[in-house]
Amino acid sequence: MAPTVLHLRSETKPLEHRSALTPTTTAALIKAGYVVNVERSPERIFDDSEFEAVGATLVPEGSWEEVPKEHIIIGLKELEEKEFPLKHVHVQFAHCYKQQAGWENVLARFPRGGGTLLDLEFLVDERGRRVAAFGFHAGFAGAALALEVWAHQLTHPASTPFPGVASYPNEDALIANVQKALATGAQAAGRQPRVIVIGALGRCGSGAVDALRKAGVPEENILKWDMAETAKGGPFKEITDSDIFVNCIYLTSKIPNFVNLESLQVPDRKLSVVCDVSADTTSPFTPVPIYTVATTFDKPTVPVDGLASGPAVSVISIDHLPSLLPREASEAFSHDLLPSLLTLNDWQNSPVWARAKKLFDEKVATLPASALEK
């Protein structure tokens, strides 16, 4: 039997430096009998030579479109918005299962070409827990940026936007930068910020709390909320009484909003920074319906419109926050994904991939006929 060929595509999302495969996991897959083709990439945090050194074959950027149908395409973020049908099995985050804007067009490309989407966001074990996620590093990066934005607000005119950000070579470099900003902000405010993290017991929330601690926020200034604290239903005054709100909740159904425009109108509001790590900007399930624009590394924040009084509120809604620490985030994610990747040679009979295929079929069944006819 011919070996299974995995094709790691180059990411096309601007400033996306992470990778679903790393040289370490690529070496493990090759040792297990897989052929791994790696597209050359100008953005990936790992050099092409690192993959070549462990036995991968380097292929041209964007060549996945023309490879045989039997090759499995491995990626991270969503594909570029194009119309041609997709014939391969794709392993990636597609962001089209929660009724995001344009989801029908994204999803319909797969059945139109006879392809399959195995969405990494919904790759779960028998208990329903995700087998691999970037949550920890998303929360870590989001909380770090939120502290920097808070300090920027205190030390710059309101008309000066928070500047663009770029990936850091490692966690130490990021934390050093945040500590410097926090010291400046705390001096201007005469105090340390109060930060509320909702979802603090999960992967994402744990990362956020870890970043806050390493940056130097006092423990008593970190409100760590989870299901017990939110059970009564929002909006919550504890959010508007805090300087920073970091939302680390992942939702697939609607719950009462944690915060909304009405709750922001209170006269004693302190809140000025919201980091919505989930960044489900267009999802009807968002518990943070105070903005409609996804932000980017180039423009990390968006203001909340319609506030009658109180400080301006800046929202961070970057949907690839872990790319702020691309090497560490990729290594952790790919390590956790590896056991599942090692079963791709018989993915139809692998429980974890079979669950992902079942969900794909269910979502395809909801597509309008018009999306399938393009």
Side-chain angles (χ1 to χ4, degrees):
M1 180 182 293
T4 300
V5 179
L6 306 180
H7 186 110
L8 178 65
R9 59 177 174 81
S10 177
E11 298 296 324
T12 55
K13 189 179 184 71
L15 302 175
E16 179 55 81
H17 305 301
R18 292 173 296 166
S19 178
L21 299 184
T22 68
T24 302
T25 52
T26 296
L29 289 163
I30 292 172
K31 184 178 180 180
Y34 289 84
V35 171
V36 182
N37 295 332
V38 175
E39 291 187 6
R40 296 180 182 275
S41 172
E43 294 291 335
R44 193 183 294 127
I45 188 63
F46 304 100
D47 292 337
D48 296 339
S49 59
E50 294 182 69
F51 287 97
E52 191 172 36
V54 299
T57 300
L58 298 181
V59 296
E61 184 179 6
S63 58
W64 67 267
E65 296 179 16
E66 306 301 329
V67 301
K69 182 178 180 179
E70 294 73 26
H71 292 197
I72 297 176
I73 312 302
I74 309 290
L76 201 60
K77 300 301 288 186
E78 60 270 29
L79 296 168
E80 291 180 291
E81 294 183 9
K82 296 183 178 180
E83 292 294 328
F84 67 86
L86 299 170
K87 64 183 179 181
H88 300 95
V89 171
H90 285 259
V91 177
Q92 65 175 73
F93 291 94
H95 302 295
C96 63
Y97 281 2
K98 294 187 287 184
Q99 300 178 26
Q100 293 96 329
W103 72 272
E104 302 101 326
N105 295 331
V106 173
L107 184 58
R109 293 178 66 190
F110 294 93
R112 287 197 291 117
T116 298
L117 169 63
L118 302 176
D119 198 307
L120 290 168
E121 186 175 358
F122 300 91
L123 198 66
V124 298
D125 62 19
E126 64 279 359
R127 297 169 298 171
R129 181 174 173 81
R130 290 175 65 178
V131 301
F134 283 103
F136 182 89
H137 286 94
F140 192 101
L145 278 185
L147 289 174
E148 290 191 314
V149 171
W150 178 77
H152 182 272
Q153 291 174 333
L154 291 165
T155 55
H156 293 80
S159 59
T160 304
F162 185 73
V165 297
S167 297
Y168 286 82
N170 52 56
E171 179 186 302
D172 289 344
L174 170 60
I175 288 298
N177 203 55
V178 176
Q179 287 174 336
K180 181 179 178 180
L182 180 60
T184 303
Q187 183 177 15
R191 60 179 177 82
Q192 291 284 341
R194 169 178 155 130
V195 186
I196 182 169
V197 178
I198 295 188
L201 297 182
R203 286 169 169 161
C204 178
S206 297
V209 171
D210 189 47
L212 295 171
R213 287 170 173 162
K214 288 179 176 176
V217 178
E219 193 70 24
E220 62 271 19
N221 283 33
I222 305 173
L223 279 69
K224 298 175 280 290
W225 277 29
D226 210 86
M227 293 179 67
E229 292 79 7
T230 59
K232 62 183 179 181
F236 302 108
K237 192 173 187 300
E238 290 85 349
I239 291 178
T240 54
D241 284 346
S242 299
D243 299 289
I244 299 170
F245 166 38
V246 184
N247 177 45
C248 295
I249 294 294
Y250 167 83
L251 291 174
T252 56
S253 59
K254 186 62 181 173
I255 64 171
N257 294 324
F258 295 155
V259 64
N260 56 28
L261 286 175
E262 183 178 358
S263 72
L264 292 178
Q265 306 292 356
V266 293
D268 57 347
R269 172 175 54 84
K270 295 183 177 65
L271 184 71
S272 65
V273 181
V274 174
C275 181
D276 188 9
V277 181
S278 67
D280 282 335
T281 310
T282 61
S283 172
F285 307 138
T286 179
V288 191
I290 59 173
Y291 72 101
T292 58
V293 178
T295 64
T296 64
F297 277 14
D298 287 337
K299 296 180 179 179
T301 64
V302 61
V304 174
D305 295 325
L307 298 179
S309 62
V313 178
S314 296
V315 178
I316 302 166
S317 59
I318 300 170
D319 69 0
H320 59 125
L321 279 168
S323 202
L324 205 63
L325 292 170
R327 182 173 287 268
E328 288 149 319
S330 297
E331 290 283 13
F333 178 84
S334 197
H335 173 271
D336 290 347
L337 186 61
L338 181 60
S340 300
L341 293 172
L342 288 168
T343 66
L344 277 173
N345 58 343
D346 189 26
W347 68 266
Q348 296 94 333
N349 295 310
S350 167
V352 67
W353 297 113
R355 282 188 286 270
K357 174 61 162 62
K358 181 175 182 290
L359 181 59
F360 168 72
D361 290 339
E362 291 172 353
K363 295 296 182 180
V364 167
T366 68
L367 284 168
S370 57
L372 296 169
E373 293 169 356
K374 288 185 179 180

